[in-house]
Amino acid sequence: MKTQIEITQVEWDMIENYLDRENDLNKYSISKEIKQIPDFEQKIEHIKKIREEIEDSIRRSKMNDFHKHVDETEDSKVKSLSSPKTKSYTMWYSAAAILILLFGIFWMLDSNNTAEKIFAENFKPDIGLPLKMGSADSYEFYEGMLDYKQENYKKAISKWEVLLIDNPENDTLNYFLGVANLALGDAIESLKYLTNQERFQEGMFKEEAAYYAALAKIKEGKIEEAKNLLKNTPSIQNTKLLRQLEKE
């Protein structure tokens, strides 16, 4: 599966500004702000490619119109070509074609709809629990936590899934399995662990589990379900996310 590059509007504007000034005589260098953007080099190359595709599409559209005009001009017997009215129609259609093309491209760029943008702006994996290697009976869990903290989410998941077999209702295991899967971009798998909010009601992950479950719902485009989750489990971050959803 092709990895989707998620770029916020702020990041997009910063990179566009950088690219617009990149060819200046002063050789605009990458600012500290740009370097702070996660995977900034990859995102710069992605936006460069998109801009080149737009420019290429416009260029090809104009060339097609030019060749069409030349071909019609060579046929001197076609009287309609000499008509100013027909020429104006041709120019209008050409302009309309370019506008439609541009609209289609920008619509496609924005097809990572509002839900995806909200998810990208708000999702950050839980920092995890402090590592405690002293307890032999929880060694496997904290070994997985070390993988999790190093962003080796697949390794962490494989270790925690084994532990979950004997502890299917353990809120800690379910919570971090949900977050780890969401960090990998798998909202459906994440919700398998986070959907049952009752298992978190008496534990320390009550508000956080609702927050990440809501983010998974948002990623799936289930906005109303996400709103209900956030309303039923209020906290500072849950309320903030809820207000953002209600503004859209």
Side-chain angles (χ1 to χ4, degrees), residues 4 9 11 13 20 32 39-40 51 54 69 82 85 88-89 109 146 180-181 186 205 220:
Q4 185 176 16
Q9 187 62 53
E11 291 173 347
D13 292 341
D20 288 339
K32 291 181 180 179
D39 301 319
F40 74 92
R51 284 160 61 110
I54 293 173
H69 181 73
S82 62
K85 187 175 182 180
S88 65
Y89 281 138
L109 290 176
L146 178 61
N181 276 283
D186 194 338
F205 301 110
E220 287 293 290

Side-chain angles (χ1 to χ4, degrees), residues 110-119 218 223 244-245 248:
D110 197 45
S111 62
N112 294 338
N113 51 38
T114 303
E116 277 292 339
K117 289 179 181 177
I118 291 176
F119 175 85
I218 291 168
I223 305 300
Q244 188 175 359
L245 288 174
E248 301 299 336

Side-chain angles (χ1 to χ4, degrees), residues 25-124:
L25 294 176
N26 294 330
K27 288 290 181 182
Y28 179 63
S29 60
I30 299 179
S31 66
K32 291 181 180 179
E33 289 77 11
I34 293 282
K35 289 182 179 179
Q36 288 174 356
I37 296 174
D39 301 319
F40 74 92
E41 291 180 343
Q42 185 182 8
K43 291 178 180 179
I44 287 174
E45 289 305 312
H46 178 70
I47 294 176
K48 269 187 180 179
K49 184 178 179 182
I50 292 297
R51 284 160 61 110
E52 288 169 2
E53 287 175 356
I54 293 173
E55 292 171 1
D56 186 57
S57 296
I58 295 171
R59 191 159 46 244
R60 280 189 280 107
S61 178
K62 288 183 177 178
M63 286 300 293
N64 288 337
D65 290 332
F66 172 75
H67 288 301
K68 180 180 178 182
H69 181 73
V70 170
D71 291 341
E72 290 178 349
T73 303
E74 289 176 351
D75 187 0
S76 58
K77 293 181 180 181
V78 181
K79 294 181 181 180
S80 62
L81 184 63
S82 62
S83 167
K85 187 175 182 180
T86 303
K87 287 182 180 178
S88 65
Y89 281 138
T90 301
M91 291 177 65
W92 188 89
Y93 284 128
S94 298
I98 292 171
L99 285 173
I100 291 171
L101 176 67
L102 286 173
F103 176 79
I105 292 171
F106 284 113
W107 180 86
M108 184 173 62
L109 290 176
D110 197 45
S111 62
N112 294 338
N113 51 38
T114 303
E116 277 292 339
K117 289 179 181 177
I118 291 176
F119 175 85
E121 289 170 5
N122 290 278
F123 177 75
K124 287 184 181 179

Side-chain angles (χ1 to χ4, degrees), residues 86-168:
T86 303
K87 287 182 180 178
S88 65
Y89 281 138
T90 301
M91 291 177 65
W92 188 89
Y93 284 128
S94 298
I98 292 171
L99 285 173
I100 291 171
L101 176 67
L102 286 173
F103 176 79
I105 292 171
F106 284 113
W107 180 86
M108 184 173 62
L109 290 176
D110 197 45
S111 62
N112 294 338
N113 51 38
T114 303
E116 277 292 339
K117 289 179 181 177
I118 291 176
F119 175 85
E121 289 170 5
N122 290 278
F123 177 75
K124 287 184 181 179
D126 189 298
I127 61 172
L129 298 178
L131 298 176
K132 300 177 182 178
M133 295 299 186
S135 177
D137 60 348
S138 60
Y139 177 81
E140 290 83 1
F141 172 77
Y142 285 107
E143 190 178 36
M145 183 58 67
L146 178 61
D147 290 322
Y148 175 89
K149 284 176 174 287
Q150 294 174 340
E151 299 183 8
N152 294 323
Y153 300 117
K154 288 184 178 179
K155 285 186 177 180
I157 289 169
S158 65
K159 292 171 183 175
W160 290 337
E161 282 178 337
V162 174
L163 298 178
L164 192 70
I165 294 173
D166 295 327
N167 301 277

